[in-house]
Amino acid sequence: MTKLKQGAPHRPKLGLQGPVIAWQDPWAGDISDTMMRTGTGSIYPSQDPTPEPGAFIRALQDLGAVFYVHHVLPNLAGQSDMIRDAAAHGLDICLGNEYGNINGPYAEGTNRYDVPDLTVLEAALSGRLIGLLYDEPEHLQINAGQYRKDGFYPHWGITDGLSPAQARLKVTEAAAARAAHVRGLLEQTGIDPERVPLVSENVFPVQFHAMARAGMAVCPKIMKESFQSLQLSTALGAARQYGRDMWICADLWGPDVGPWFIRTPGFPGHSPEEYASALRMGYLMGPSHLFTENIDALMTYNKYRQFRKTEFGEIWDEFARRFVPDQPLNWRHSEADPDIAFIHADDSNYGQNERLFGNRRQPAPETTQSVFHVWHLLSHGTIPAHGSCMHIPGYVFPRHELKAQVPADRFPLPGGRMMPAGAQVHPLFYPLHNVIVFDETVREEQLGRPRLIVVAGSSISESTLLAVRKRAESGAVVIIADWLVPRHWTGSGPAGSGTWLVTDSFLTDERVQETMRPFLGSKDCWMQRFGHTEVRFYKRDPQGFTLDYELFER
């Protein structure tokens, strides 16, 4: 693996999120066992004894964490003590809203929990608050009945009957209002609001651009059930277009089962080897922050008051203690510079083809599926043509079989469970050649220097359409859906010194594949460029569950 010359170093901040199954919240104690702490819809009794707060913080810091992602209990049990202890140990804090999303109380007319103002201020005044994490807001906008069962109340508000553009605007404005409220709260107290962003932690590769436009930092989950290159190129584009920080959450919840430590079906749902590759992959994207959800997979705590690292904890420890110091970065995520710009409206369709932005009354326009068709082509056919994550037809998750086979009281499984060869479904490798995703409002100066521009989806702004046409006339190759262009531009052929190709079907139009082919790179390499540095990923194993990488300086 090639090392780069020393430049202006960038080291993403490393963090860990609190437990949800292993042990009770160290500050709340028994109270944390009385509520649902996972998205599985069940209350799980803790599997391990509860550590003392100081011992827990020392364990976090011994693993190299400089910040702690804390699940705020809706009744605020132990909250003030947690802030006091974190500050005393010099540990930064990010406050997460997941427990409130699962249990309530909810902001009026939504399924969203907002950390109360006084709690935000208390943490901010300690000098250690670095963010407010919104857990899977895109999921809870679309699938509003996931946790709250007394009605259909999407995360940012009801969008029934609205067009995709109207629904997107309503969601963006609601998120922006929340961001503005927190910003004003901090400013009134003399605290720099730039220190405490709202962070949108997305499991699906949708609404990154809407949340970034609203003022939130973006945080893609990696592993989980994602197609990694699609997820990251989408988040990178949102962060670049709107000038936001990019956090990364390495989420070990997932679909697979194997001979590794398992707390509950799906957790961990990825092998230790995949986790090791994913951490390096995420780090090499140059994020501002990188953390693992949750610490349960990394550590056990026994009756002798001792923490013990699992195989996953050993991998995190090696990553934080050896890999990160030995591989300094001279680039940041904001320097992502595409060879291929993929422009499409942020319509929130990841393959379910319904409830766009939570809208139950308007069916998804068929044009939204063109986004999946483009991903299929850009990835040499490895990403399916009917969705952008694994929550679509065609995937059977081994974790479901494990849940059916093993009673809940038999967990954890220290040695996991063997599954038949070939049962695992979640590789990391999907080849793309330096793709960045922009939404339908991107300005010309934000595009960088792409040689190929592909425009799909349900809509495009007039200014973006003009910018794309100008790029074609200046030498770029543009492939665009015919329903997005005015009549006087429906003809295909040369445009200035570039190419303008209009199609009514990305999948079946042979001209599209022929025109794309010279720009797609090798099917054996996934490449992302940051400034002058190319990060290249290759399969380490035949299926691509693990990755090798090299760095090339242009």
Side-chain angles (χ1 to χ4, degrees):
M1 288 177 280
T2 309
K3 285 198 174 183
L4 294 175
K5 299 175 183 178
Q6 289 288 336
H10 166 57
R11 179 175 291 188
K13 294 181 179 179
L14 302 183
L16 293 168
Q17 190 177 51
V20 291
I21 295 176
W23 52 82
Q24 296 172 353
D25 181 282
W27 294 273
D30 292 345
I31 294 173
S32 57
D33 264 355
T34 65
M35 65 180 62
M36 288 184 288
R37 293 186 285 165
T38 73
T40 58
S42 301
I43 293 178
Y44 284 84
S46 296
Q47 297 172 345
D48 300 354
T50 303
E52 294 298 317
F56 176 60
I57 290 179
R58 286 191 294 274
L60 292 171
Q61 294 180 319
D62 287 346
L63 285 171
V66 300
F67 70 95
Y68 165 50
V69 182
H70 177 68
H71 294 97
V72 177
L73 275 73
N75 60 11
L76 304 180
Q79 182 70 22
S80 295
D81 291 339
M82 183 278 297
I83 293 169
R84 179 201 64 211
D85 290 347
H89 286 80
L91 184 68
D92 284 342
I93 309 160
C94 177
L95 298 181
N97 75 338
E98 183 173 11
Y99 286 1
N101 288 343
I102 294 172
N103 298 277
Y106 302 108
E108 184 177 358
T110 77
N111 61 10
R112 186 183 78 250
Y113 173 73
D114 292 322
V115 176
D117 288 356
L118 291 179
T119 303
V120 173
L121 287 176
E122 180 184 27
L125 289 169
S126 75
R128 309 309 309 195
L129 184 63
I130 62 167
L132 298 175
L133 188 72
Y134 277 71
D135 183 76
E136 302 184 4
E138 85 299 345
H139 175 21
L140 297 179
Q141 180 66 31
I142 299 165
N143 304 306
Q146 179 72 16
Y147 304 137
R148 187 173 179 180
K149 303 300 184 182
D150 61 338
F152 193 83
Y153 300 102
H155 211 59
W156 300 108
I158 294 173
T159 59
D160 285 346
L162 300 180
S163 71
Q166 291 169 329
R168 178 169 55 247
L169 179 61
K170 181 171 182 177
V171 167
T172 303
E173 288 180 342
R178 179 61 191 164
H181 173 81
V182 173
R183 187 178 188 91
L185 183 72
L186 296 171
E187 287 176 337
Q188 290 172 15
T189 318
I191 298 168
D192 180 4
E194 299 299 326
R195 287 172 37 202
V196 189
L198 273 62
V199 183
S200 181
E201 182 194 41
N202 293 29
V203 62
F204 302 133
V206 297
Q207 297 182 42
F208 281 121
H209 292 78
M211 295 300 99
R213 188 174 189 177
M216 300 179 78
V218 299
C219 180
K221 289 191 174 190
I222 56 174
M223 295 187 292
K224 201 66 167 155
E225 296 91 22
S226 302
F227 304 131
Q228 308 304 298
S229 54
L230 185 163
Q231 177 90 332
L232 289 166
S233 61
T234 305
L236 283 166
R240 174 185 167 121
Q241 183 175 342
Y242 291 101
R244 307 300 178 200
D245 275 351
M246 186 175 81
W247 299 39
I248 287 180
C249 168
D251 191 343
L252 279 162
W253 290 83
D256 285 331
V257 174
W260 55 76
F261 176 74
I262 297 177
R263 287 277 185 192
T264 194
F267 182 56
H270 305 271
S271 73
E273 296 78 15
E274 182 186 340
Y275 179 49
S277 288
L279 288 174
R280 296 182 178 200
M281 173 190 74
Y283 174 80
L284 293 169
M285 294 293 118
S288 56
H289 301 72
L290 188 156
F291 67 95
T292 286
E293 174 185 339
N294 305 95
I295 196 173
D296 304 46
L298 310 189
M299 304 281 280
T300 62
Y301 189 72
N302 62 32
K303 63 183 179 180
Y304 304 108
R305 297 186 179 182
Q306 297 170 321
F307 282 103
R308 290 286 184 263
K309 292 191 286 287
T310 67
E311 57 263 55
F312 295 93
E314 295 289 353
I315 284 166
W316 171 272
D317 191 59
E318 188 278 336
F319 167 72
R321 298 294 186 184
R322 296 185 59 184
F323 179 80
V324 170
D326 289 349
Q327 183 59 80
L329 304 182
N330 65 357
W331 67 91
R332 299 171 184 265
H333 69 88
S334 56
E335 298 174 75
D337 187 19
D339 287 322
I340 301 173
F342 182 15
I343 300 172
H344 66 81
D346 188 356
D347 284 331
S348 83
N349 191 356
Y350 57 84
Q352 85 285 8
N353 298 322
E354 59 182 0
R355 298 187 311 281
L356 301 193
F357 287 103
N359 186 343
R360 294 170 294 174
R361 295 180 185 168
Q362 294 284 354
E366 188 175 349
T367 53
T368 64
Q369 298 178 44
S370 64
V371 174
F372 312 143
H373 304 163
V374 172
W375 282 121
H376 184 70
L377 297 177
L378 293 177
S379 66
H380 298 270
T382 59
I383 293 173
H386 63 289
S388 55
C389 73
M390 290 183 178
H391 287 281
I392 55 176
Y395 290 93
V396 177
F397 294 168
R399 72 179 183 218
H400 296 152
E401 184 176 347
L402 181 65
K403 184 175 182 179
Q405 290 177 350
V406 181
D409 60 5
R410 294 277 302 279
F411 289 93
L413 304 178
R417 177 62 64 94
M418 289 296 297
M419 284 286 177
Q424 294 176 16
V425 300
H426 188 271
L428 295 175
F429 183 81
Y430 293 89
L432 293 176
H433 190 72
N434 198 28
V435 179
I436 292 290
V437 178
F438 300 102
D439 72 19
E440 76 287 357
T441 68
V442 65
R443 301 192 305 273
E444 183 184 3
E445 65 271 17
Q446 296 172 322
L447 287 172
R449 298 167 293 174
R451 298 183 299 144
L452 172 66
I453 301 173
V454 185
V455 190
S458 63
S459 63
I460 188 171
S461 70
E462 183 178 354
S463 60
T464 299
L465 179 61
L466 291 172
V468 168
R469 179 70 183 190
K470 183 177 178 181
R471 283 302 182 93
E473 293 171 349
S474 299
V477 173
V478 174
I479 305 174
I480 188 167
D482 66 357
W483 57 87
L484 298 176
V485 298
R487 181 175 300 177
H488 59 280
W489 282 344
T490 55
S492 298
S497 57
T499 300
W500 183 259
L501 173 59
V502 181
T503 184
D504 63 358
S505 173
F506 290 93
L507 277 185
T508 62
D509 188 338
E510 293 182 0
R511 300 174 305 157
V512 172
Q513 298 180 45
E514 181 181 350
T515 303
M516 276 190 182
R517 192 171 295 118
F519 301 95
L520 298 183
S522 168
K523 66 179 181 179
D524 298 319
C525 178
W526 161 27
M527 189 271 281
Q528 204 76 57
R529 189 171 64 248
F530 301 89
H532 297 292
T533 303
E534 290 184 358
V535 182
R536 301 174 179 175
F537 297 104
Y538 306 93
K539 294 180 182 179
R540 181 180 291 177
D541 62 275
Q543 291 75 40
F545 286 88
T546 56
L547 301 174
D548 279 324
Y549 77 91
E550 68 176 350
L551 306 177
F552 177 78
E553 195 161 15
R554 292 168 64 96

